[in-house]
Amino acid sequence: MTQIEARTLRYSVDGVAFEGRLLFDVADPAPRPGLLMAPNWFGVSSAAEELAGQVASRGYRVLLVDVYGATVRPVNPAEAGAAMLLLKQDRELLRRRLLAALEALRGQQTAPMDAARLAVFGFCFGGTCALELARAGAPLKAAVSFHGALDTPDPADARNVRGAALVLDGALDPLVPRDQLAAFAGEMNEAGVDWQLISYGGAVHSFTDPAADNPGTAKYNAKVSKRAFAAMYALLDEVFA
């Protein structure tokens, strides 16, 4: 049986302290692949940690990324939006923080991990983070975005992507402009990236989040969520083989 534990992983960027959460099965002594999980705009939270634990139970070492800093823990949409906007407007800062988190995961000695097998996945704003980390040239086997925005300041940065990219999109998502899908496809094709984009009919934003209940905008969809996670796990099995 799995015994998932969560440990705080501390690191710093530009003199700012960050605290991610490392989740792993303490009953499994084998070196397993490492995954960076970028949460939604609320950042490190109990809900995000629970989800990270579910992924860790499948045989991964998962670091729930802190992109805001140890003292920033949004408790309402206004606070989350303000924290997110700062990073959406400064992608270089966002990338530095994500790269530092990846290095913290690679360097941790708490959970046995195969540092040659790394990937990132994220939700909503975290999906944007996952793609930005890949565009930054991080040594990733895969980057997976769940209902995240696909825009980036310099599409030519796709040439830095070193692994596969998977976008899991709600076809009716009003928060991800539909023209971003075609732009993303062009960006990836131009750079010769191994990419996939799956757009799920009937799904809007936050389709993986059981707490999302704003019909027409952000709403949980159990069937689509199951399919999307299956797509991620299938890709991870392929790239980590």
Side-chain angles (χ1 to χ4, degrees), residues 65-88:
V65 182
D66 176 11
V67 293
Y68 296 149
T71 63
V72 181
R73 295 291 185 265
V75 297
N76 56 53
E79 292 181 2
M84 177 183 69
L85 186 60
L86 172 68
L87 296 176
K88 290 199 75 171

Side-chain angles (χ1 to χ4, degrees), residues 133-181:
L133 182 58
R135 292 175 176 122
L140 303 167
K141 298 293 187 182
V144 182
S145 170
F146 291 82
H147 39 80
L150 309 178
D151 61 312
T152 190
D154 186 358
D157 285 345
R159 65 183 182 275
N160 301 322
V161 176
R162 298 165 63 178
L166 172 62
V167 168
L168 303 162
D169 169 71
L172 301 179
D173 189 341
L175 302 184
V176 177
R178 296 296 87 189
D179 58 359
Q180 288 187 8
L181 277 67

Side-chain angles (χ1 to χ4, degrees), residues 5 82 101 111 122 126 142 180 235:
E5 286 194 8
Q180 288 187 8
L235 178 62

Side-chain angles (χ1 to χ4, degrees), residues 88-107:
K88 290 199 75 171
Q89 292 179 338
D90 190 342
R91 298 298 177 96
E92 289 304 315
L93 175 60
L94 174 60
R95 290 182 183 188
R96 287 201 305 274
R97 293 182 175 184
L98 292 167
L99 287 166
L102 184 64
E103 284 307 303
L105 175 62
R106 294 179 74 183

Side-chain angles (χ1 to χ4, degrees), residues 14 17 21 29 35 72 80-82 92 105 118 121 148 201 209 221 229:
D14 300 330
R21 297 286 282 171
L35 303 181
V72 181
E92 289 304 315
L105 175 62
L118 300 170
F121 67 105
D209 185 355
N221 186 315
F229 275 103

